[in-house]
Amino acid sequence: MSEVETVRQAFVQLWGSMGHFWGISPTTARIYSWLLSRSEPADTDEIMEGLEMSRGAVSMACRELREWQLIFPEKVSGSRRVAYRPATDLEKVIRNIVEIRKRREWDPILESLREWIPRLESDGSPEAAVFRQRLEDLESLIALTDSIVKVFLRGGVVGKLGLKMLVKAARDDAALDVSSGSGPGAEVKIQPEALRISDIQQHDSLVARAESAYRKALEESS
Amino acid sequence: MSEVETVRQAFVQLWGSMGHFWGISPTTARIYSWLLSRSEPADTDEIMEGLEMSRGAVSMACRELREWQLIFPEKVSGSRRVAYRPATDLEKVIRNIVEIRKRREWDPILESLREWIPRLESDGSPEAAVFRQRLEDLESLIALTDSIVKVFLRGGVVGKLGLKMLVKAARDDAALDVSSGSGPGAEVKIQPEALRISDIQQHDSLVARAESAYRKALEESS
DNA sequence: GCTTAGTTTCAAAAGTTATTGAAATTTCTA
DNA sequence: TAGAAATTTCAATAACTTTTGAAACTAAGC
């Protein structure tokens, strides 16, 4: 068995177990990843053989993948067969899936929370107050995640700067780990203070300073 | 039925359907959310009645919640009963879960990808090259997500600035949506250019400019 | 229009996960 | 220490999801 085949099998296995993240079944995920691992499209028979599945399972899964626009049918000339070509721009793919799932599944969660919170306000009991506080905390967390996803989906100067900052911070931390791991007191790590959501969400004029410095630098470089 | 009870039922239903995100079963998730909706801890009988479950199901689920440190057992004085108090600092809860799942599930994905990519390099076939490119794209995407999660878990000045930028960007976008939705040409939206991961990951001296402006502003304000 | 290659559909079967309830076990009190 | 309150465990059962394979259907070629 070739190296490609070995990696392919492991990749298909891995992607299959991640299927639930994408909102598709493991089988459907496995077909998509199998197609991704190839340089050419494949028809139903090839998929059946490659993944040892029934024709019916392949058909159902391919229909779902088409609905998600993860595969595209192509006619095989001189034959009645349809070959399936996977969507290969993975950034676009993931954007598409995140966008669809955000709209269908995640946004309704935020909406529900925002509906419930004022309803608990009008009930004056201590239990309602406790419950409401917890829903508010949860709403803050989910709203932060929503912000990150929105920027990922939409782009823009400030969002890009934010993401670059995050990447830099993670990189800086990794470098700090390496340097603090090489001395005699290697177990001692400087642990920054944990972020609080309320702090992150708060309007901050210092952030505006950083933003305008970045914009000025952008102008000067173009 | 009271307003609290109505919202509670909807919340428990919602949280139960989100259980898979946390890596726990719907039943286990429902118990946790039910406990969150109350101002006082509850014992096994109360949970059984409140959620209409068997004693066995409650016992198994509570064991799992304890393992995740989502609930804490408390002795009920004058009785042999144990009451369960939920962890209520939701930021900490989510951090804990994200950290555990990152270590157990998500980090191994990145590791696998980073193992496979060089293996495909030594196979000179066109198919290996195509497959390798796709694995590299995927690795980039997951590494970005990993960066964001790392910052969320660890904090730090640069990470905090990055998150604040993202929140600001999302807020700015929302404001832009509102203002562009109120004119006669309301269907016309300015769509910023989509972010590319390779761009975000690239070292950028302009980001350093923004960062030092922020640090300077921090010093001046303290 | 007929034939047939190829695909889709769906009920039955298979596989997986969740729940139950009673036996087993643990722990506390008198 | 015995008894019983309370919980845990786990095999059986129930519920849910996935897969199969053959009947039904579609579409292309002659």
Side-chain angles (χ1 to χ4, degrees), chain A residues 131-189:
Chain A
F131 189 16
R132 188 167 136 262
Q133 182 59 56
R134 289 176 189 160
L135 292 186
E136 279 172 349
D137 292 346
L138 188 57
E139 194 267 349
S140 293
L141 277 163
I142 295 181
L144 174 64
T145 307
D146 193 54
S147 297
I148 296 173
V149 170
K150 271 185 192 157
V151 171
F152 176 67
L153 292 178
R154 285 199 181 190
V157 171
V158 182
K160 184 167 159 188
L161 173 59
L163 288 173
K164 280 174 172 267
M165 288 280 180
L166 292 182
V167 170
K168 184 172 190 297
R171 207 179 271 147
D172 291 350
D173 281 350
L176 194 63
D177 277 352
V178 169
S179 61
S180 69
S182 55
E187 292 302 310
V188 179
K189 286 184 189 172

Side-chain angles (χ1 to χ4, degrees), chain B residues 134-179:
Chain B
R134 290 176 188 161
L135 292 186
E136 279 172 352
D137 291 345
L138 187 57
E139 193 268 349
S140 294
L141 277 162
I142 296 182
L144 175 63
T145 307
D146 193 55
S147 298
I148 296 173
V149 170
K150 270 185 194 159
V151 172
F152 176 67
L153 293 179
R154 283 199 180 194
V157 171
V158 182
K160 183 169 160 186
L161 175 59
L163 289 172
K164 280 175 171 269
M165 288 281 180
L166 292 181
V167 170
K168 185 176 190 296
R171 207 180 273 150
D172 292 351
D173 281 353
L176 193 65
D177 278 350
V178 170
S179 59

Side-chain angles (χ1 to χ4, degrees), chain A residues 3-215:
Chain A
E3 194 75 310
V4 169
E5 191 53 39
T6 304
V7 174
R8 172 180 287 131
Q9 290 196 10
F11 176 62
V12 168
Q13 194 68 16
L14 176 76
W15 194 280
S17 64
M18 283 160 59
H20 62 87
F21 179 77
W22 311 116
I24 56 179
S25 72
T27 296
T28 306
R30 280 170 60 225
I31 291 178
Y32 180 61
S33 60
W34 186 81
L35 289 169
L36 274 184
S37 72
R38 293 165 50 90
S39 50
E40 298 300 322
D43 65 32
T44 302
D45 279 352
E46 284 172 299
I47 297 172
M48 284 168 67
E49 282 161 30
L51 290 169
E52 296 178 345
M53 284 185 197
S54 72
R55 191 177 299 276
V58 171
S59 175
M60 299 297 284
C62 285
R63 183 179 76 175
E64 194 175 353
L65 289 170
R66 283 161 74 175
E67 285 165 6
W68 284 100
Q69 294 189 25
L70 293 177
I71 61 172
F72 306 98
E74 290 181 354
K75 294 259 176 72
V76 180
S77 58
S79 152
R80 303 173 184 208
R81 291 170 186 275
V82 175
Y84 294 103
R85 176 181 295 280
T88 54
D89 185 335
L90 291 177
E91 282 189 47
K92 278 197 188 147
V93 164
I94 287 171
R95 264 200 185 92
N96 190 42
I97 286 170
V98 168
E99 188 169 335
I100 291 173
R101 295 199 71 195
K102 180 183 184 297
R103 200 182 331 119
R104 287 196 200 157
E105 298 170 41
W106 307 334
D107 288 348
I109 294 174
L110 255 192
E111 282 159 25
S112 290
L113 289 172
R114 286 171 177 162
E115 185 207 320
W116 295 336
I117 287 165
R119 280 167 68 179
L120 293 178
E121 199 156 42
S122 49
D123 180 311
S125 68
E127 186 164 57
V130 167
F131 189 16
R132 188 167 136 262
Q133 182 59 56
R134 289 176 189 160
L135 292 186
E136 279 172 349
D137 292 346
L138 188 57
E139 194 267 349
S140 293
L141 277 163
I142 295 181
L144 174 64
T145 307
D146 193 54
S147 297
I148 296 173
V149 170
K150 271 185 192 157
V151 171
F152 176 67
L153 292 178
R154 285 199 181 190
V157 171
V158 182
K160 184 167 159 188
L161 173 59
L163 288 173
K164 280 174 172 267
M165 288 280 180
L166 292 182
V167 170
K168 184 172 190 297
R171 207 179 271 147
D172 291 350
D173 281 350
L176 194 63
D177 277 352
V178 169
S179 61
S180 69
S182 55
E187 292 302 310
V188 179
K189 286 184 189 172
I190 298 167
Q191 187 70 23
E193 187 178 300
L195 302 178
R196 301 300 301 195
I197 303 287
S198 51
D199 194 5
I200 295 166
Q201 302 262 17
Q202 195 170 31
H203 178 69
D204 191 334
S205 63
L206 308 190
V207 179
R209 296 270 289 271
E211 178 188 341
S212 46
Y214 182 71
R215 286 188 189 275

Side-chain angles (χ1 to χ4, degrees), chain B residues 1-196:
Chain B
M1 181 158 48
S2 71
E3 193 75 308
V4 169
E5 192 53 39
T6 305
V7 175
R8 173 179 286 132
Q9 290 197 11
F11 177 62
V12 168
Q13 193 67 16
L14 177 74
W15 194 280
S17 65
M18 283 162 57
H20 62 85
F21 178 77
W22 313 115
I24 56 180
S25 72
T27 297
T28 305
R30 280 170 60 222
I31 291 178
Y32 181 62
S33 61
W34 185 82
L35 290 169
L36 273 185
S37 72
R38 293 165 51 87
S39 49
E40 299 300 320
D43 65 31
T44 302
D45 280 351
E46 284 173 298
I47 297 172
M48 283 168 67
E49 283 159 29
L51 291 169
E52 297 178 345
M53 286 187 197
S54 73
R55 192 177 298 277
V58 171
S59 176
M60 299 296 284
C62 286
R63 185 179 74 175
E64 195 174 3
L65 290 170
R66 282 160 74 174
E67 284 165 7
W68 283 100
Q69 293 187 26
L70 292 178
I71 59 173
F72 307 98
E74 290 181 355
K75 293 262 176 70
V76 181
S77 59
S79 151
R80 303 175 182 207
R81 293 170 183 274
V82 175
Y84 294 104
R85 175 180 296 279
T88 53
D89 184 337
L90 290 176
E91 283 190 44
K92 277 194 188 151
V93 163
I94 287 170
R95 261 198 189 95
N96 189 42
I97 286 170
V98 168
E99 188 168 337
I100 290 173
R101 295 199 69 196
K102 180 181 185 301
R103 198 181 334 115
R104 287 194 200 159
E105 297 171 42
W106 306 334
D107 288 349
I109 294 174
L110 255 193
E111 282 159 23
S112 291
L113 289 172
R114 286 172 175 161
E115 186 208 321
W116 296 335
I117 287 166
R119 281 166 67 180
L120 292 178
E121 198 154 46
S122 49
D123 180 312
S125 69
E127 185 162 58
V130 166
F131 189 16
R132 188 167 136 261
Q133 183 57 57
R134 290 176 188 161
L135 292 186
E136 279 172 352
D137 291 345
L138 187 57
E139 193 268 349
S140 294
L141 277 162
I142 296 182
L144 175 63
T145 307
D146 193 55
S147 298
I148 296 173
V149 170
K150 270 185 194 159
V151 172
F152 176 67
L153 293 179
R154 283 199 180 194
V157 171
V158 182
K160 183 169 160 186
L161 175 59
L163 289 172
K164 280 175 171 269
M165 288 281 180
L166 292 181
V167 170
K168 185 176 190 296
R171 207 180 273 150
D172 292 351
D173 281 353
L176 193 65
D177 278 350
V178 170
S179 59
S180 70
S182 54
E187 291 303 312
V188 180
K189 286 182 188 171
I190 299 170
Q191 189 71 22
E193 186 178 303
L195 302 178
R196 302 300 302 193

